[in-house]
Amino acid sequence: MSEPQLHIYPDNPAVAKAFAAYLAEKIAAAKGHFHLALSGGSTPKLLFSILAEQYADKIDWSKLCLYWGDERMVAHDDPESNYGEAKSLLLDHIDIPGSNIHPVPTGIEVEQAAKAYSMVIKHSLDTDGSRPVFDLVMLGMGGDGHTASIFPHQMELLTDQEVCGVATHPESGQKRVSLNGPVINAAKEVCFLVTGAGKTDKVAQILGKEAGYEKYPAAHIEIKKGTIHWFLDEAAAGKLAN
Ligand code: 6PG
């Protein structure tokens, strides 16, 4: 497993701009469909806007197949919905076939949704012999070191052999569907997008493998065959040893 590749930019807009260009190149280079799992939360919002405004006619969107690395069990038009966020900022502004978009079904019980989404992913992606393989999984990281919706109190999701698991937000108790650790780690590539001063300490602790780093789910994302990229702004990278 190779060392993580760091891409550090002055601020969140620069991170979003750089990752948009990076993603456009990846999709262009793909021979067939490019299977991408999107992260949620606030960090990718600017990326979605840049892709909609500057890449609408620069990317062959018919090559892109979209999934979500995690989703809150709310209606798709709820402000909390990761799919709803991507739809309003990006999907409604690009020419991507509806059949290429695979939102998590949130109108059913969360256990059923996790099972159903696992089936969608297994039927849509090639496998490495045992697990479906994403071309790229985008991940964010919370201030508590969670990633996707794998929180520190649910480390078992890092090794759960199902494609997707049922997660619970530690504060709100909100139910979520999340990709489990093994399928994230089976991806050809993982890109973390982490910005802001609120993430500085965890980024340094995890990337520096400092004492206690193993407590954080983001520290357990280690893809065997590919490279993990960290797209960071200077604030989030502020305590990284040079
Ligand atoms: C989610 C995410 C989650 C997110 C981090 C960072 O659904 O919330 O997928 O893992 O990436 O919590 O969130 P921010 O980008 O809002 O800091």
Side-chain angles (χ1 to χ4, degrees), residues 38-44 69-72 80 82 138-144 146-151 169 174 176 193-195 199:
L38 294 175
S39 58
S42 57
T43 302
D70 66 320
E71 182 58 281
R72 298 86 178 274
E80 278 273 298
N82 288 335
M138 262 176 74
L139 291 173
M141 186 192 74
D144 61 357
H146 81 260
T147 192
S149 279
I150 305 176
F151 291 92
H169 191 281
Q174 183 187 61
R176 300 181 171 195
L193 272 71
V194 181
T195 60
K199 314 288 174 78

Coordinates of all heavy atoms in Angstrom, one line a residue, residues 38-44 69-72 80 82 138-144 146-151 169 174 176 193-195 199, ligand 1:
L38 N -20.1 9.5 -4.2 CA -20.0 10.9 -3.7 C -20.0 11.0 -2.2 O -20.7 10.2 -1.6 CB -21.1 11.8 -4.3 CG -21.2 12.0 -5.8 CD1 -22.5 12.8 -6.1 CD2 -19.9 12.8 -6.3
S39 N -19.3 11.9 -1.6 CA -19.4 12.2 -0.2 C -20.5 13.2 0.0 O -21.0 13.8 -0.9 CB -18.1 12.7 0.4 OG -17.7 13.9 -0.3
G40 N -20.9 13.3 1.3 CA -21.9 14.3 1.6 C -21.4 15.4 2.5 O -20.2 15.7 2.4
G41 N -22.3 16.0 3.2 CA -21.9 17.1 4.1 C -21.7 18.4 3.3 O -22.1 18.5 2.1
S42 N -21.0 19.4 3.9 CA -20.9 20.7 3.3 C -19.7 20.8 2.3 O -19.7 21.6 1.4 CB -20.9 21.8 4.3 OG -19.8 21.5 5.2
T43 N -18.6 20.0 2.6 CA -17.4 20.3 1.8 C -17.6 20.1 0.3 O -17.1 21.0 -0.5 CB -16.3 19.3 2.3 OG1 -16.0 19.5 3.7 CG2 -15.0 19.5 1.5
P44 N -18.4 19.1 -0.2 CA -18.5 19.0 -1.6 C -19.4 20.0 -2.3 O -19.5 20.0 -3.6 CB -19.0 17.6 -1.9 CG -19.5 17.1 -0.6 CD -19.0 18.0 0.5
G69 N -21.6 7.6 -0.9 CA -20.9 6.9 0.1 C -21.6 6.7 1.4 O -21.4 5.8 2.2
D70 N -22.6 7.7 1.6 CA -23.5 7.5 2.7 C -24.6 8.5 2.5 O -24.6 9.4 1.7 CB -22.8 7.9 4.1 CG -22.3 9.3 4.2 OD1 -21.8 9.8 3.2 OD2 -22.5 9.9 5.2
E71 N -25.7 8.2 3.2 CA -26.9 9.0 3.0 C -27.7 9.0 4.3 O -27.8 8.0 5.0 CB -27.8 8.5 1.9 CG -29.0 9.3 1.6 CD -28.7 10.7 1.2 OE1 -28.5 11.5 2.2 OE2 -28.7 11.1 0.0
R72 N -28.3 10.2 4.6 CA -29.1 10.3 5.8 C -30.5 9.8 5.4 O -31.0 10.0 4.3 CB -29.2 11.8 6.2 CG -27.9 12.4 6.6 CD -27.1 12.9 5.4 NE -25.8 13.6 5.8 CZ -25.7 14.9 6.1 NH1 -26.8 15.6 6.2 NH2 -24.6 15.4 6.5
E80 N -31.2 18.0 4.6 CA -30.2 17.1 5.1 C -29.8 16.1 4.1 O -28.8 15.3 4.3 CB -30.7 16.4 6.3 CG -30.7 17.1 7.6 CD -29.3 17.0 8.3 OE1 -29.0 15.8 8.7 OE2 -28.6 18.0 8.4
N82 N -28.0 14.1 1.2 CA -26.8 14.2 0.4 C -27.2 14.2 -1.1 O -26.6 14.9 -1.9 CB -25.8 13.1 0.8 CG -25.2 13.4 2.1 OD1 -25.1 14.5 2.6 ND2 -24.7 12.3 2.8
M138 N -15.2 9.2 -3.1 CA -14.9 10.5 -2.5 C -15.3 10.4 -1.0 O -16.3 9.8 -0.7 CB -15.8 11.6 -3.1 CG -15.3 12.4 -4.2 SD -16.6 13.5 -4.8 CE -16.7 14.7 -3.4
L139 N -14.5 10.9 -0.1 CA -14.8 10.9 1.3 C -14.5 12.2 1.9 O -13.6 12.9 1.5 CB -13.9 9.8 2.0 CG -14.2 8.4 1.7 CD1 -13.1 7.5 2.4 CD2 -15.6 7.9 2.1
G140 N -15.4 12.6 2.9 CA -15.1 13.7 3.8 C -14.6 13.1 5.1 O -14.5 11.9 5.3
M141 N -14.3 14.0 6.0 CA -14.0 13.6 7.4 C -14.6 14.6 8.4 O -14.4 15.8 8.2 CB -12.4 13.5 7.5 CG -12.0 12.9 8.9 SD -10.3 13.2 9.3 CE -10.3 14.9 9.7
G142 N -15.2 14.0 9.3 CA -15.8 14.9 10.4 C -14.8 15.3 11.4 O -13.7 14.7 11.4
G143 N -15.1 16.3 12.2 CA -14.1 16.7 13.2 C -13.8 15.6 14.2 O -12.9 15.7 15.0
D144 N -14.7 14.6 14.3 CA -14.5 13.5 15.2 C -13.7 12.3 14.5 O -13.6 11.2 15.1 CB -15.8 13.0 15.8 CG -16.7 12.4 14.6 OD1 -16.3 12.5 13.4 OD2 -17.8 11.9 14.9
H146 N -14.7 10.8 11.8 CA -15.6 9.8 11.1 C -15.4 10.0 9.6 O -15.0 11.1 9.2 CB -17.0 9.9 11.5 CG -17.8 11.0 10.9 ND1 -18.0 12.3 11.5 CD2 -18.4 11.1 9.6 CE1 -18.7 13.0 10.7 NE2 -19.0 12.4 9.6
T147 N -15.7 9.0 8.8 CA -15.7 9.2 7.4 C -16.9 8.4 6.8 O -17.3 7.4 7.5 CB -14.4 8.8 6.7 OG1 -14.4 9.2 5.4 CG2 -14.2 7.3 6.8
A148 N -17.4 8.8 5.7 CA -18.7 8.3 5.2 C -19.6 8.5 6.4 O -19.6 9.5 7.0 CB -18.6 6.9 4.7
S149 N -20.4 7.4 6.8 CA -21.1 7.6 8.1 C -20.6 6.5 9.1 O -21.4 5.9 9.8 CB -22.6 7.5 7.9 OG -23.1 8.8 7.5
I150 N -19.3 6.2 9.0 CA -18.7 5.3 10.0 C -18.1 6.2 11.1 O -17.1 6.9 10.9 CB -17.6 4.5 9.3 CG1 -18.1 3.7 8.1 CG2 -17.0 3.5 10.3 CD1 -17.1 2.9 7.3
F151 N -18.8 6.2 12.2 CA -18.5 7.0 13.3 C -17.6 6.2 14.4 O -17.7 5.0 14.4 CB -19.7 7.6 14.0 CG -20.5 8.6 13.2 CD1 -21.5 8.1 12.3 CD2 -20.2 9.9 13.2 CE1 -22.2 9.0 11.5 CE2 -20.9 10.8 12.4 CZ -21.9 10.4 11.6
H169 N -26.0 8.5 13.8 CA -25.2 9.7 14.1 C -25.1 9.7 15.7 O -26.1 9.6 16.4 CB -25.9 10.9 13.6 CG -25.0 12.1 13.7 ND1 -24.8 12.8 14.9 CD2 -24.2 12.8 12.8 CE1 -23.9 13.8 14.7 NE2 -23.6 13.8 13.5
Q174 N -29.6 10.2 14.2 CA -30.1 10.1 12.9 C -29.6 8.8 12.2 O -28.4 8.5 12.3 CB -29.7 11.3 12.0 CG -30.2 11.3 10.6 CD -29.6 12.4 9.8 OE1 -28.3 12.4 9.6 NE2 -30.4 13.3 9.3
R176 N -28.6 6.4 9.2 CA -27.9 6.6 7.9 C -27.6 5.2 7.3 O -27.4 4.2 8.0 CB -26.7 7.4 8.1 CG -26.9 8.8 8.7 CD -25.6 9.5 8.8 NE -25.8 10.9 9.2 CZ -24.9 11.8 9.1 NH1 -23.7 11.5 8.6 NH2 -25.1 13.1 9.4
L193 N -11.6 14.8 0.7 CA -11.7 16.2 0.5 C -12.0 16.8 1.9 O -13.0 16.5 2.5 CB -12.8 16.7 -0.4 CG -12.4 16.7 -1.9 CD1 -12.3 15.3 -2.5 CD2 -13.5 17.5 -2.7
V194 N -10.9 17.4 2.5 CA -11.1 17.9 3.9 C -10.5 19.3 4.0 O -9.4 19.6 3.6 CB -10.3 17.0 4.9 CG1 -10.5 17.4 6.3 CG2 -10.7 15.5 4.7
T195 N -11.4 20.2 4.5 CA -11.0 21.6 4.5 C -11.4 22.2 5.9 O -12.3 21.7 6.5 CB -11.6 22.4 3.4 OG1 -13.1 22.3 3.5 CG2 -11.2 21.9 2.0
K199 N -10.7 20.7 11.2 CA -10.2 19.3 10.9 C -8.7 19.2 11.1 O -8.1 18.1 11.0 CB -10.5 19.0 9.4 CG -11.9 19.3 9.0 CD -13.0 18.4 9.5 CE -14.4 18.8 9.2 NZ -14.8 18.5 7.8
Ligands
6PG1 C1 -22.1 13.1 5.7 C2 -20.8 12.8 5.1 C3 -19.8 12.9 6.1 C4 -19.0 14.2 5.8 C5 -18.2 14.6 7.0 C6 -17.6 16.0 6.7 O1 -23.1 12.6 5.2 O2 -22.1 14.0 6.6 O3 -20.7 12.0 4.2 O4 -18.8 11.9 6.2 O5 -18.2 14.0 4.7 O6 -19.1 14.7 8.1 O7 -18.7 16.9 6.6 P1 -18.5 18.4 6.2 O8 -18.0 18.4 4.8 O9 -19.8 19.1 6.4 O10 -17.4 19.0 7.2

